[in-house]
Amino acid sequence: MKRTVTLVLSLFLLGALVLAIRPATSGADAPLVAQWTQIQPATTPDTNNYQGAMASDPLNHGVMIADGYAGSLSIWIYSNSTWTQVAAPSGLEPRNEEYMAWDPTINRVVLFGGLGSSKLNDTWTWDGSTWTQLTTTASPSPRYGGGMAYDAATGDLVLVGGRDDSGLVSDTWLFTGTNWVNTNAPLPQSGCPIYGAMASLGAQGGVILVDCSGNTFTFVNGVWNSLGLVGGDNYASDMMMSYDPGIDAVVRYGGYVGHGLNTTRWWNGQSWVNMTPNTITATNNPPGLYNTGMAWDALTNSLVLYGGIAGGAYHGTWEMVGPITVTTTTTTTTTTTTTSAPSSTTTSQPAVATTTSSLPTTGSNFGAGLWISMSALGLGALSLLLRRRLLRSS
């Protein structure tokens, strides 16, 4: 009889242990809703940034666009809901489809190459007030149309792809702040290393790229990882993408699939998750767009989207700001995550900023692991105690 009781208790505790180690619902699957707001600045740039470039510009507490599609280089800075034009230096040839990104290591915006009167491979930096051309001992070939983003793990900008005089290229280069270094780690064969989008993966390090066929790649620790079509507007090209430190996630918008898309998605480490409002109106979501730009604005703690093509030239300015609704699936409680904008005097770097948002990161579920360990330890101790008491009473 007592053996039977011992067996029953053991089976009960085993069942409890199974329940205890059931994986907790990952917050990475929690639905998020993009909060887009259209801004009405007093002055609108004279370019719709068609095939131009856009980058964070914390030195001016805003973002920058540079577009030479119309034959003259038009450079504008957006800060505090205002667009201000910046004169281009005489040596900076008008161009489009150039590479441009914020480099926190050297505290500069870096511009490379593009398509001007011919394909270009010059390197320029912006210190908040002045453009300076750099002389480097090595450089990618003259090209346009690829991607460039900051890798926080190495402190370098990563440049990949585009089109040079030989055709499409897949080589990968690092900009160290003073020179270019060929990694000899080309993008895996995708067939389309051009007209996609690229962004930093934030403080965890690495970059993420979506090519013009909609395939997703990550570059981590010097190695490209091919993830294929992993959700979200597959086969789209010419989308906008940026890392958002306010929610510690990469966000993408729009793209081209025969027409402009109006979807917003975020990267959860495995796939692109939809965060488009269920009901789209003219005031809560940008129109279907492609060939435009999106970058992080540290002043307002928001993503800024400007211009592009929406059936025709589009000159609208939008900000994606918090709060972002996060509905948990483990309980019936709905929580709201809010993010606070940094001080207007901050020079925090968008690629390495620290976030206090409750949005899940793409790392392991430490909480679930801790619960499993503590549950197993507690149940094991309880089983041993009951067994000893039963043996003593026999």
Side-chain angles (χ1 to χ4, degrees):
M1 178 64 181
K2 291 176 180 177
R3 290 182 178 179
T4 301
V5 172
T6 302
L7 178 62
V8 171
L9 284 172
S10 298
L11 291 174
F12 172 77
L13 292 171
L14 178 61
L17 179 59
V18 170
L19 290 175
I21 64 175
R22 178 185 297 169
T25 301
S26 173
D29 297 324
L32 309 178
V33 179
Q35 306 291 312
W36 286 104
T37 301
Q38 186 168 17
I39 309 301
Q40 303 292 343
T43 302
T44 300
D46 57 0
T47 171
N48 69 325
N49 201 33
Y50 175 69
Q51 295 184 342
M54 190 167 181
S56 298
D57 181 12
L59 295 169
N60 285 290
H61 308 297
V63 300
M64 168 184 285
I65 60 173
D67 182 22
Y69 183 76
S72 61
L73 190 59
S74 184
I75 301 176
W76 292 75
I77 292 173
Y78 177 80
S79 180
N80 201 22
S81 301
T82 301
W83 285 105
T84 303
Q85 190 167 17
V86 176
S90 58
L92 186 54
E93 180 180 341
R95 66 196 68 200
N96 59 75
E97 299 185 62
E98 66 270 31
Y99 303 70
M100 191 166 74
W102 168 251
D103 187 339
T105 301
I106 61 173
N107 214 31
R108 300 286 189 274
V109 173
V110 178
L111 183 151
F112 172 84
L115 181 62
S117 57
S118 62
K119 301 177 188 70
L120 303 168
N121 70 336
D122 48 348
T123 303
W124 294 75
T125 62
W126 167 258
D127 66 2
S129 60
T130 304
W131 285 100
T132 302
Q133 185 173 8
L134 301 184
T135 300
T136 59
T137 57
S139 176
S141 59
R143 64 183 66 195
Y144 65 91
M148 186 167 71
Y150 180 71
D151 184 351
T154 63
D156 300 322
L157 291 179
V158 180
L159 180 151
V160 67
R163 184 186 296 275
D164 68 5
D165 288 338
S166 67
L168 295 180
V169 289
S170 300
D171 51 343
T172 305
W173 291 75
L174 302 180
F175 180 68
T176 64
T178 57
N179 202 19
W180 291 97
V181 178
N182 191 338
T183 66
N184 296 311
L187 187 71
Q189 194 70 15
S190 69
C192 195
I194 193 172
Y195 299 148
M198 189 167 169
S200 169
L201 283 171
Q204 65 178 300
V207 300
I208 186 168
L209 167 74
V210 178
D211 72 2
C212 80
S213 297
N215 293 296
T216 298
F217 303 84
T218 58
F219 185 73
V220 180
N221 296 325
V223 177
W224 282 105
N225 306 288
S226 179
L227 306 178
L229 298 172
V230 284
D233 308 321
N234 291 338
Y235 307 108
S237 64
D238 296 302
M239 68 200 66
M240 294 69 74
M241 189 159 70
S242 177
Y243 173 69
D244 184 339
I247 59 173
D248 190 24
V250 175
V251 176
R252 58 185 268 191
Y253 184 84
Y256 182 77
V257 288
H259 58 85
L261 297 169
N262 63 353
T263 50
T264 307
R265 300 183 184 275
W266 69 281
W267 178 248
N268 72 356
Q270 298 177 329
S271 64
W272 294 101
V273 182
N274 186 33
M275 57 190 297
T276 308
N278 290 330
T279 302
I280 296 177
T281 68
T283 58
N284 77 347
N285 203 78
L289 287 170
Y290 63 96
N291 272 346
T292 183
M294 185 167 70
W296 170 253
D297 182 357
L299 176 63
T300 59
N301 200 32
S302 66
L303 289 175
V304 177
L305 182 153
Y306 173 77
I309 302 296
Y314 183 71
H315 293 267
T317 302
W318 291 77
E319 293 182 5
M320 195 189 90
V321 298
I324 291 178
T325 302
V326 181
T327 305
T328 64
T329 55
T330 52
T331 68
T332 57
T333 302
T334 299
T335 60
T336 300
T337 300
T338 58
T339 57
S340 58
S343 165
S344 60
T345 59
T346 182
T347 57
S348 60
Q349 315 310 332
V352 295
T354 302
T355 178
T356 57
S357 167
S358 61
L359 179 72
T361 64
T362 56
S364 60
N365 192 333
F366 173 77
L370 180 62
W371 167 242
I372 291 171
S373 299
M374 295 302 293
S375 298
L377 179 61
L379 289 172
L382 179 59
S383 176
L384 180 60
L385 178 62
L386 290 174
R387 183 173 179 82
R388 285 182 176 177
R389 287 189 176 181
L390 288 171
L391 289 174
R392 287 178 181 177
S393 60
S394 60

